[in-house]
Amino acid sequence: MYTLEELESIVNKCKRCPLHRTRTNVVFGEGNTKANMIFIGEGPGFYEDKMGRPFVGRAGQLLDKMIEAIGLRREEVYITNIVKCRPPNNRNPLEEESDICIEFLRWQVKIIDPTIIVCLGAVAARNIIDRNFKITRQRGIWFNRGKYSIIATYHPAALLRDQSKKREAWEDFKSIREKYKKIAINMEG
Ligand code: URA
């Protein structure tokens, strides 16, 4: 078993897929390394690539607000992506890229050991829950996988493009808040 620092230094040097050629920085992930909840996006965008941090652009600002709306701070959870290097022009990661990179995510999740996994958008949900995941039909549903409770909601960038999705996303976040509270109570007890 690696430590998170060891894993990060391995990922920072990764050249296993062509995305390393066009990256400025690897975006490993950040937050509470002992978090009960991990948010997983698709891959770094322009600002994330420049800064080496996940969700720092417009979508990230919206994500921060949504996390705050359920009574948490960004620093209390852990935030990362399916692929750790920016796909050129923000295209979706290719299957061969995500298939390689997800191994790092698996390690990350094992080390952080959260109870709740939140998939942000269809790319994350398809890689984590089900290859054929339909975000409009299956968002907001809890899936139990071993010790993990997993849910998918709309990607914050989708909410910026289409305001009408915000109501459903808020329902999902309320459900996340309830699950998070229950887990906190179980851990105290
Ligand atoms: N979109 C993502 O999926 N991840 C980020 O880190 C930023 C934008």
Side-chain angles (χ1 to χ4, degrees):
M1 185 91 161
Y2 297 115
T3 65
L4 206 58
E5 290 76 24
E6 283 165 347
L7 182 66
E8 183 165 6
S9 74
I10 293 168
V11 178
N12 281 338
K13 294 190 221 85
C14 179
K15 293 187 175 172
R16 294 189 194 173
C17 91
L19 293 182
H20 79 271
R21 294 200 197 100
T22 46
R23 76 183 175 215
T24 314
N25 287 294
V26 172
V27 180
F28 180 69
E30 67 179 25
N32 176 1
T33 57
K34 296 187 169 66
N36 272 340
M37 179 151 68
I38 176 162
F39 287 83
I40 302 176
E42 142 183 349
F46 178 85
Y47 293 104
E48 290 77 20
D49 172 68
K50 290 277 172 272
M51 295 179 66
R53 296 180 53 206
F55 282 98
V56 290
R58 274 186 74 216
Q61 285 161 18
L62 179 56
L63 177 62
D64 290 352
K65 275 194 202 155
M66 297 174 82
I67 291 173
E68 281 162 23
I70 57 166
L72 294 168
R73 282 174 295 115
R74 180 184 167 108
E75 298 74 35
E76 289 178 84
V77 300
Y78 195 86
I79 304 175
T80 189
N81 284 300
I82 296 289
V83 294
K84 311 302 194 214
C85 298
R86 182 191 181 208
N89 305 315
N90 297 348
R91 64 160 168 73
N92 285 353
L94 304 175
E95 205 172 301
E96 54 263 40
E97 295 160 353
S98 45
D99 283 354
I100 290 171
C101 211
I102 205 156
E103 198 196 321
F104 295 136
L105 179 65
R106 285 205 189 97
W107 276 107
Q108 235 170 344
V109 170
K110 237 184 230 153
I111 297 166
I112 296 167
D113 196 27
T115 310
I116 300 173
I117 297 176
V118 181
C119 301
L120 298 167
V123 170
R126 287 187 187 140
N127 277 281
I128 292 170
I129 303 173
D130 175 359
R131 284 256 162 235
N132 300 311
F133 197 89
K134 297 273 182 300
I135 194 78
T136 48
R137 277 202 277 129
Q138 293 174 288
R139 47 144 282 282
I141 299 172
W142 287 100
F143 296 85
N144 293 318
R145 295 284 160 83
K147 61 206 279 202
Y148 306 114
S149 292
I150 312 181
I151 192 171
T153 187
Y154 290 122
H155 192 288
L159 303 178
L160 291 172
R161 283 193 300 270
D162 180 356
Q163 299 271 331
S164 73
K165 292 191 165 82
K166 278 197 175 164
R167 196 186 52 77
E168 286 172 316
W170 177 232
E171 293 303 316
D172 300 342
F173 268 76
K174 283 193 288 192
S175 171
I176 292 165
R177 177 174 64 192
E178 290 316 304
K179 181 75 85 180
Y180 189 85
K181 270 198 217 155
K182 260 190 216 149
I183 281 160
I185 289 166
N186 283 345
M187 282 187 164
E188 276 168 21

